[in-house]
Every structure is written in structure tokens, then in C-alpha cells.
């Protein structure tokens, strides 16, 4: 996944192809650095999270340490919620009025209703006579995996591609993408009702260190008994990416900067380049995964 210079397509991508300009929209659960999205003109719609009925936009939480401390100490999990139809309309409508088409790429529908809200907003605007296309794409992944799809699609759009080509680029990237993450505990997945196929691991007791993948649902791929073995296994996944000729990879974490730094150094030594980004996972996914999470091994291969 080689992202082009954001300025290489000129100020008006339509001039080269005659197609309508395409803008890519996503939600707040990829945790990609804002500057990467800003360079490619990606618009964002935030999910919500909060305790005791007081919901706040996820992107308004600046102090992640305070959030995860409260998550650990609170007897109740916070509530998370998808963006409203109105949230999407407020982003879509100005783009359509400016003559742009939209490709809206979001967290897996098996995990969140975000795609449903996006589709309803597209239908609502179309029924009111808005011109232009709004196509919603289920990323069938989340966190950095979602981010990789969005960056690939936005790079394609920046080069003047039409809606169909941008969607095809996102889907091609998804086909070649692998994602693994390890958790300190399955307790947050269990309490939040997002455990999916990882339910099968509960019989092994919550003290194991599960390693999972993030697709249409959260699925187990391995389990180990100690944190050190979990880190070693994540390092081995990086080697597997190298063996499959991965061109890009990322690292994410939740209150585990030392582990993220270790995996970043290990991956750079193995693959020969630093991660595309290394960021902390925010409150929405953090609610369901807990602190201590480490994401790595998201690899977009040359064949993809």
C-alpha cells in the first residue's frame, strides 16, 4: 500500500479524468494519526462513549489515561454508541452540495451499527433530492485495519479516481490485510457482549492472554499463558508478514506504550521499515477490549 504524495494529483482531481471528485469519510475507530487523514482530505464522524447516560463524542476524550483508569475502577462499563443519522448527514450534505461523491468506510457491521446509520443518512439525503453518490463500505475490520483501508481509498480518490475505483481499492486492500491483537483479559469483551467467536476461549479461564483477529467479528487465533509469550507470538506474526512480502504494517496499543515500542522496534528490524503509524486505541474500542491491548501485524501485501 504505497500512498501517493497528497499534492501529486493537483488541486482538482477531476481535471485529469473528468469524473466527479470523491471524498472519503470514515468514523473515529481507526485511531489513525489526524495528520495522515488531513493530508488526504478524509472526513470523520465520531462514535460516542460515556457513563451513566452522559454520552460524549469519542474524539472529545483527550485524556486517555484518565479514561482507562476509570474503566479499570468502575463497576460498570461505559456505554458506546454509533453516530446518529444526523451526524452523517452533517458531513455528507456539504460534500454533495459541492459536487463531490462520497465513499464512506466504517468499522465492521458485526461489531457496530455505524454502517447502518451511514446508509440511512445516504437514503435520507437521496430522498430529499441531493445529487451525487454516497456509497457505504463495511470494512469488515476495525482499528488500524480500518485505517489502512481508508488511507488506501483516500489515496486512490486523491489521484482522481471515481467512486467505483475507490471502492475497488478499499476492497483489494481488505483482501490482503491481516490483523492480530493480544489482550490482557477477555473480561471486557465478555462484559460488553462483543466476544463473538472468542466465546470459545472462556472455558480456558479469563487469565489466559488471548490473541485474536478482527474481521466481521472478533475471532481467536491463539492463546498463551503469559504476557511475555504473547509478545513473542506477536513478534512471530511480524515475521509471517515479512515472509508474505508485506509492504506496510502498523502498531496500536491501549495503555501499553512500552509493549508498542518493543513491537515497533522488532517489526522495523524484521521488515526493514518503521510502522506506518503507532497510536493508542481510543475509548470506544477500549471499552470492549480493555487496557493492556497490543495490536500489530496488520500487513498489506504487494500482491494485494
Amino acid at each position: 500500500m504505497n500512498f501517493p504524495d497528497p499534492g501529486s494529483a493537483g488541486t482538482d482531481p477531476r481535471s485529469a479524468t473528468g469524473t466527479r471528485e470523491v471524498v472519503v469519510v470514515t468514523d473515529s475507530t481507526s485511531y489513525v494519526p489526524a495528520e495522515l487523514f488531513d493530508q488526504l482530505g478524509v472526513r470523520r464522524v465520531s462514535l460516542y462513549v460515556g457513563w451513566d447516560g452522559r454520552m460524549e463524542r469519542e474524539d472529545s476524550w483527550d485524556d486517555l489515561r484518565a479514561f482507562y483508569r476509570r474503566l479499570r475502577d468502575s463497576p460498570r462499563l461505559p456505554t458506546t454508541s454509533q453516530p446518529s443519522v444526523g451526524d452523517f448527514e452533517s458531513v455528507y450534505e456539504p460534500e454533495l452540495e459541492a459536487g463531490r461523491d462520497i465513499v464512506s468506510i466504517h468499522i465492521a457491521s458485526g461489531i457496530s451499527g455505524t454502517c447502518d446509520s451511514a446508509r440511512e443518512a445516504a437514503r435520507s439525503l437521496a430522498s430529499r433530492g441531493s445529487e451525487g453518490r454516497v456509497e457505504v463500505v463495511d470494512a469488515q475490520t476495525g482499528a488500524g485495519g480500518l485505517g489502512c483501508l481508508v488511507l488506501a481509498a483516500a489515496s486512490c480518490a486523491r489521484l482522481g479516481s471515481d467512486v467505483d475505483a475507490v471502492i475497488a481499492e478499499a476492497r483489494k486492500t481488505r483482501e490482503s490485510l491481516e490483523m492480530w491483537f493480544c489482550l490482557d483479559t477477555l473480561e471486557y469483551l465478555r462484559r460488553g457482549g462483543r466476544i463473538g467467536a472468542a466465546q470459545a476461549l472462556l472455558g480456558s479461564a479469563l487469565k489466559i492472554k488471548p490473541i485474536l483477529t478482527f474481521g466481521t467479528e472478533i475471532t481467536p487465533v491463539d492463546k498463551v499463558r503469559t504476557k511475555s509469550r504473547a509478545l513473542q507470538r506477536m513478534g512471530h506474526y511480524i515475521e509471517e508478514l515479512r515472509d508474505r512480502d508485506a509492504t506496510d504494517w502498523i502498531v496500536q496499543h491501549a495503555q501499553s506504550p512500552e509493549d508498542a515500542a518493543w513491537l515497533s522496534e522488532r517489526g522495523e528490524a524484521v521488515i526493514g521499515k518503521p510502522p506506518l503509524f503507532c497510536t493508542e486505541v481510543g475509548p470506544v474500542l477500549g471499552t470492549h477490549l480493555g487496557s493492556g491491548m497490543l495490536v500489530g501485524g496488520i500487513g498489506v501485501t504487494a500482491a494485494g
Side-chain angles (χ1 to χ4, degrees), residues 39-281:
Q39 287 171 0
L40 292 167
V42 176
R43 311 293 193 263
R44 279 89 86 193
V45 180
S46 184
L47 278 75
Y48 293 86
V49 63
W51 276 271
D52 303 321
R54 183 180 176 182
M55 302 297 286
E56 299 181 49
R57 290 170 57 97
E58 177 178 35
D59 58 16
S60 72
W61 284 83
D62 295 325
D63 190 346
L64 292 181
R65 181 176 296 179
F67 171 83
Y68 281 108
R69 182 169 57 247
R70 184 173 179 182
L71 181 66
R72 288 192 299 269
D73 295 342
S74 175
R76 297 183 304 277
L77 287 181
T79 300
T80 60
S81 178
Q82 67 214 51
S84 70
V85 172
D87 290 336
F88 277 105
E89 289 180 347
S90 68
V91 172
Y92 291 168
E93 195 163 20
E95 302 299 338
L96 295 173
E97 289 178 350
R100 301 183 183 96
D101 290 334
I102 295 168
V103 174
S104 204
I105 308 173
H106 300 290
I107 185 173
S109 59
I111 302 295
S112 168
T114 299
C115 282
D116 292 335
S117 289
R119 292 187 177 109
E120 181 57 34
R123 286 191 292 267
S124 176
L125 290 171
S127 71
R128 302 204 302 263
S130 294
E131 297 183 359
R133 293 177 63 185
V134 180
E135 299 292 341
V136 178
V137 177
D138 181 348
Q140 298 183 348
T141 188
L146 167 62
C148 286
L149 268 66
V150 172
L151 290 171
S155 297
C156 183
R158 192 74 178 203
L159 294 175
S161 301
D162 64 12
V163 166
D164 294 329
V166 172
I167 292 173
E169 182 67 21
R171 288 176 173 162
K172 182 177 72 172
T173 302
R174 180 65 187 90
E175 289 173 359
S176 63
L177 184 146
E178 296 287 347
M179 176 175 176
W180 307 285
F181 62 98
C182 60
L183 299 178
D184 268 352
T185 175
L186 287 168
E187 176 67 8
Y188 292 95
L189 276 178
R190 183 189 65 80
R191 290 171 61 193
R194 299 300 201 281
I195 196 163
Q199 178 80 29
L201 294 180
L202 288 179
S204 302
L206 294 174
K207 292 183 179 180
I208 66 167
K209 305 299 180 186
I211 298 174
L212 308 106
T213 188
F214 198 154
T216 55
E217 64 176 356
I218 292 172
T219 306
V221 293
D222 203 351
K223 60 182 179 180
V224 294
R225 293 290 178 182
T226 66
K227 184 175 181 178
S228 63
R229 288 189 178 276
L231 288 174
Q232 291 174 9
R233 194 68 186 96
M234 295 294 285
H236 293 158
Y237 283 132
I238 296 291
E239 294 174 3
E240 291 179 20
L241 289 180
R242 175 201 59 199
D243 295 342
R244 293 205 302 270
D245 298 323
T247 59
D248 282 294
W249 63 291
I250 68 98
V251 173
Q252 292 181 307
H253 69 95
Q255 296 289 287
S256 297
E258 297 85 1
D259 294 341
W262 178 88
L263 189 61
S264 295
E265 292 174 5
R266 171 73 178 271
E268 184 169 1
V270 169
I271 294 180
K273 61 192 255 187
L276 188 61
F277 53 85
C278 179
T279 59
E280 186 161 14
V281 168

